[in-house]
Amino acid sequence: MNKAITPAEWKIMRIVWTLGEVGSADIIENIQRMNDWSNSTIKTLISRLVKKGYLLATSQGHANLYSALIPEETAINSESANLFDSICEMKVGEVIAKAIQEHQVSKNDLKEIQKIISSQIDDAPKTVQCNCLGKVAD
């Protein structure tokens, strides 16, 4: 898996992770409930995910069944690592706060986040240094 998943491909992967082993007809049906995409567009996206190594295609008669070759958690962790590696260290807290404000988060998840914050707050630096220009010589 050497190529990133595009936003459109994420939609396909989310369906496969949710349903497990699934045929293209079920993927198409579920995608078309949310997007006005043609069958051929969806099949192209599925084919790209197979070529990238994210989906396994298993022949079943005249059709293929698709299953994920990468766990959802692994893909999400990789994507979030890429995001946080791409932004200034000084902005990480703002991004996390905004994500919590703008997305629905369960009580259990908020309690877990609260525990993590409580366990780290005493050792956290007062400010975070910018990492955009690399280390500046004294």
Side-chain angles (χ1 to χ4, degrees), residues 58-121:
T58 306
S59 186
Q60 178 132 22
H62 294 289
N64 282 331
L65 289 179
Y66 298 94
S67 57
L69 287 170
I70 181 173
E72 183 176 18
E73 185 176 351
T74 301
I76 291 169
N77 289 342
S78 176
E79 189 77 9
S80 64
N82 289 338
L83 169 65
F84 288 109
D85 287 346
S86 300
I87 62 176
C88 178
E89 286 286 322
M90 294 173 61
K91 304 294 183 187
V92 169
E94 291 176 35
V95 171
I96 293 169
K98 191 160 188 75
I100 292 170
Q101 289 174 332
E102 292 184 355
H103 297 277
Q104 191 174 37
V105 183
S106 72
K107 278 188 179 187
N108 287 340
D109 287 341
L110 287 171
K111 287 177 183 179
E112 185 62 29
I113 293 165
Q114 202 168 35
K115 279 188 216 173
I116 293 167
I117 291 169
S118 293
S119 72
Q120 293 189 6
I121 200 158

Side-chain angles (χ1 to χ4, degrees), residues 1-7 9-10 49 52 54 78-79 82:
M1 278 141 300
N2 52 4
K3 293 193 176 188
I5 302 173
T6 67
E9 292 167 346
W10 269 99
L49 287 163
K52 288 181 179 183
Y54 289 101
S78 176
E79 189 77 9
N82 289 338

